[in-house]
Amino acid sequence: MRKYILFIIIIISAGRAIGQDIQYSQFYANALYLSPSFAGSNLASRAIFHSRLQWLSLDASFVSNTISFDHFFEKYNSGIGVLINSDYSSSYGANSFQSLEVGLQYSYTVSINDKLTFRPGLQASFGNNSLGWKHLTFNQQYDDRTGLDATKATGENFVSTRFSYPDVGAGGLLYSNRFWVGLSAHHLNQPRFGFETSEQRLPMKLTIHTGTKILVGKQERPRYGIDDGTEYEKSISPVILYKMQGKWDQLDVGFYARYNNILGGFWYRGIPLKLYPNEKYNGDAAIFLLGFLYKGFTFAYSYDLTLSQLTPARTGGSHEFSLTYNFSLITTKKKKIPSKHKKPICPKI
């Protein structure tokens, strides 16, 4: 019985998620998911795989994955990108809620002056959601003497267990060599989103993000360790991300740190000064990151330490993995970046 109650909670949560998309902690590692303005921002080709495993200690599965690829077309001063988002929730692997989205992106580079560049971006997507409910049982199927009789009819009637919808998004990114600020808006058309016959709409999601890169110490190749031709850098990048969707909003504040080929990071997610009804504390998680760069690859792992009211439930936190391959490590050796793109270049974390 417990697993069915848990699944109902999942479905209710999915209903509330009408106002909340997939939330990734490594938001800059999953750049195309953050904003279509990042399509082609690497000035070459880039492939990204991103996975999030949430609350592994619960008797349920919450798994989110994103695969993306983008490329910059020098001749047209434009970038294109394609991404696939997958979100899966289930109880004991029996009852599930799944969503799949495929999107195409386009961005254009506008040089404001020698120090500032603006990149507007657009996204067109197609989404599909499905509900697996065959293993659910209801009170009409229980008898005080005989217990469960799954063959009994119930008054429940799922009008549909699958639906699809078109989606539209846009974004803008303003940056210099050391500073950036961006705004993205997803679900501009507020598509129909629900299994019921009523007109449920997916609220627009707004995201504001900004950061700066601060170089630390002398930038030189290390005397010891990996020497693979990757650019060497010692830096700290404070970042802020704020997102809102419907009645829900969230704030991430923290920093990335890089020491040559080693990456680190720490963030706090929550808005302690903003309390919702019946809440004493509005904090979600403390996030820790560790990663490395090697021959064009960037790998990072992050862990979300739960700080919210779910802490007593011992969720086990959340685990996130990102793997990025930058083809520019090869292309820039054979071909110089054109002068019109030399400055500024969008800072890389």
Side-chain angles (χ1 to χ4, degrees):
M1 184 65 182
R2 181 186 175 192
K3 64 180 180 181
Y4 304 124
I5 295 175
L6 180 59
F7 181 66
I8 292 174
I9 293 175
I10 293 173
I11 296 303
I12 293 174
S13 299
R16 291 183 63 187
I18 289 174
Q20 182 177 350
D21 287 7
I22 302 173
Q23 178 169 257
Y24 287 112
S25 296
Q26 299 181 42
F27 41 88
Y28 281 123
N30 203 356
L32 271 64
Y33 179 79
L34 177 61
S35 173
S37 297
F38 283 105
S41 63
N42 206 37
L43 299 184
S45 297
R46 171 176 55 185
I48 301 173
F49 172 73
H50 206 106
S51 182
R52 179 177 176 86
L53 309 176
Q54 187 164 321
W55 302 337
L56 294 182
S57 295
L58 298 182
D59 294 329
S61 297
F62 300 90
V63 181
S64 303
N65 295 300
T66 296
I67 300 175
S68 62
F69 177 84
D70 64 313
H71 179 76
F72 180 74
F73 289 91
E74 175 188 332
K75 181 178 179 180
Y76 303 102
N77 208 27
S78 302
I80 62 167
V82 57
L83 75 163
I84 302 174
N85 296 315
S86 172
D87 196 25
Y88 176 83
S89 304
S90 72
S91 63
Y92 289 86
N95 312 293
S96 63
F97 174 83
Q98 302 179 65
S99 65
L100 180 68
E101 178 188 24
V102 179
L104 296 175
Q105 298 179 334
Y106 172 80
S107 69
Y108 186 79
T109 304
V110 180
S111 297
I112 298 177
N113 54 42
D114 292 340
K115 295 183 179 180
L116 284 177
T117 298
F118 178 66
R119 295 178 62 89
L122 296 172
Q123 176 175 320
S125 306
F126 182 80
N128 179 272
N129 286 7
S130 61
L131 174 66
W133 59 277
K134 294 182 178 180
H135 295 275
L136 287 175
T137 59
F138 302 91
N139 60 342
Q140 299 96 327
Q141 297 175 300
Y142 286 89
D143 185 271
D144 293 337
R145 292 178 299 176
T146 60
L148 172 65
D149 183 358
T151 62
K152 283 187 178 180
T154 70
E156 306 299 329
N157 180 25
F158 288 88
V159 177
S160 174
T161 59
R162 185 182 297 272
F163 70 91
S164 302
Y165 58 92
D167 203 354
V168 179
L173 180 65
L174 179 70
Y175 60 90
S176 67
N177 285 328
R178 292 289 177 261
F179 172 81
W180 66 92
V181 59
L183 171 69
S184 61
H186 292 86
H187 320 307
L188 289 172
N189 57 327
Q190 298 189 37
R192 175 183 173 273
F193 189 90
F195 297 98
E196 301 176 2
T197 56
S198 60
E199 283 294 311
Q200 299 177 355
R201 295 286 174 175
L202 185 59
M204 181 171 59
K205 181 181 73 172
L206 291 175
T207 304
I208 301 172
H209 57 97
T210 184
T212 183
K213 174 169 287 191
I214 304 170
L215 297 180
V216 179
K218 187 176 181 180
Q219 306 297 305
E220 60 182 355
R221 302 170 77 94
R223 295 182 180 180
Y224 308 101
I226 299 172
D227 188 354
D228 60 5
T230 305
E231 70 169 310
Y232 297 96
E233 178 183 298
K234 302 177 185 69
S235 65
I236 297 177
S237 301
V239 295
I240 299 174
L241 178 107
Y242 174 76
K243 47 187 176 289
M244 60 181 296
Q245 190 172 17
K247 297 180 180 180
W248 174 87
D249 63 347
Q250 195 57 274
L251 178 69
D252 291 56
V253 179
F255 67 90
Y256 286 90
R258 177 173 172 179
Y259 187 85
N260 295 325
N261 295 73
I262 304 300
L263 296 174
F266 174 79
W267 299 268
Y268 170 80
R269 179 186 298 134
I271 312 179
L273 300 180
K274 180 178 181 180
L275 298 180
Y276 292 94
N278 302 320
E279 283 191 350
K280 296 181 180 180
Y281 172 70
N282 183 10
D284 183 35
I287 303 159
F288 306 87
L289 175 141
L290 185 63
F292 65 90
L293 298 88
Y294 180 69
K295 292 186 177 180
F297 288 95
T298 301
F299 173 80
Y301 163 77
S302 62
Y303 175 74
D304 291 18
L305 177 64
T306 304
L307 301 177
S308 69
Q309 295 181 11
L310 287 174
T311 301
R314 298 180 181 179
T315 64
S318 300
H319 306 264
E320 204 165 297
F321 306 86
S322 66
L323 179 63
T324 302
Y325 183 69
N326 293 292
F327 293 82
S328 59
L329 184 64
I330 297 176
T331 58
T332 53
K333 290 181 180 180
K334 299 179 180 180
K335 186 177 181 180
K336 293 183 179 180
I337 297 176
S339 58
K340 64 180 179 179
H341 296 309
K342 282 185 178 180
K343 289 188 178 181
I345 296 176
C346 186
K348 298 178 184 177
I349 299 298

